[in-house]
Amino acid sequence: MRLALGLTVHTGWAACVLAGGSLRDPHLEAREHVDLVADDAARFVFHRAAEMKRADAAPFVARARRDAVDRAAAVFRRLVEGRDVRGCAVVAKSGAMPELEEVLASHPRIHTAEGIFYRDVISDAAKAAGVRSHVVAPSELDAKDRRLTDVGRAVGKPWNQDWKLAALGAWRVLA
């Protein structure tokens, strides 16, 4: 069966599904919570970088990115091994990462950068696992589609907006 990964991105973690079929004929092969950091204190990368000397901030962010990509790529490699995975939908907003100095100069930019950082981590991890990724804006998906209620009954709890958007993203990749 042709499958796709679908992920909704959060600060330090992602909801991940491996889905096949479509919303009309759904199949969920896997559903996992993917931790992108070793512990909760490490997830606010730019908040921590803002507290450092500027010379230490860039290497810290780069190391955090490498570690998060490695963690996610290991999960993706396991999920795609021996399966016909056609792509990965990263459900997140688009936008470019500003320069580090610009990010650290403003607290609201720090929050924005956290989202961009983890979106890009997921995309890079998919690539490292041999899977092409596509960013899909949450506003492009209808998590209120009534057919998702039936899918939720079949797969069981949890079946909140994260899982619904991840599955919709995966099905979009397969369409």
Side-chain angles (χ1 to χ4, degrees):
M1 172 177 274
R2 295 176 339 128
L3 301 166
L5 290 165
L7 293 104
T8 56
V9 182
H10 294 273
T11 304
W13 68 278
C16 174
V17 300
L18 182 60
S22 66
L23 184 54
R24 286 191 171 93
D25 182 25
H27 173 77
L28 288 181
E29 187 94 0
R31 185 172 41 154
E32 296 190 19
H33 178 105
V34 180
D35 288 314
L36 303 172
V37 294
D39 61 69
D40 195 51
R43 66 191 189 113
F44 296 103
V45 174
F46 293 99
H47 283 85
R48 292 183 68 195
E51 298 169 353
M52 299 176 175
K53 293 178 183 176
R54 290 300 186 245
D56 297 334
F60 170 78
V61 171
R63 187 172 48 257
R65 183 182 175 91
R66 279 191 310 273
D67 292 348
V69 168
D70 290 347
R71 289 176 73 84
V75 172
F76 298 164
R77 283 186 192 102
R78 176 178 50 79
L79 287 172
V80 305
E81 186 176 354
R83 294 181 168 114
D84 183 14
V85 177
R86 300 295 176 100
C88 173
V90 183
V91 180
K93 294 179 181 177
S94 62
M97 176 67 81
E99 293 296 323
L100 184 57
E101 283 301 317
E102 186 180 337
V103 169
L104 299 180
S106 163
H107 194 82
R109 287 187 188 134
I110 288 173
H111 284 275
T112 300
E114 300 282 7
I116 295 169
F117 176 85
Y118 287 110
R119 177 206 63 204
D120 293 349
V121 159
I122 294 295
S123 292
D124 288 351
K127 183 178 179 181
V131 180
R132 187 171 169 201
S133 69
H134 312 272
V135 174
V136 179
S139 61
E140 295 178 23
L141 303 171
D142 182 10
K144 294 181 180 177
D145 188 310
R146 290 175 185 232
R147 294 173 290 182
L148 288 167
T149 302
D150 293 333
V151 177
R153 282 190 198 109
V155 300
K157 293 184 178 185
W159 187 244
N160 61 23
Q161 179 144 329
D162 284 322
W163 301 109
K164 292 173 186 177
L165 290 173
L168 288 169
W171 291 322
R172 176 176 277 198
V173 167
L174 291 173

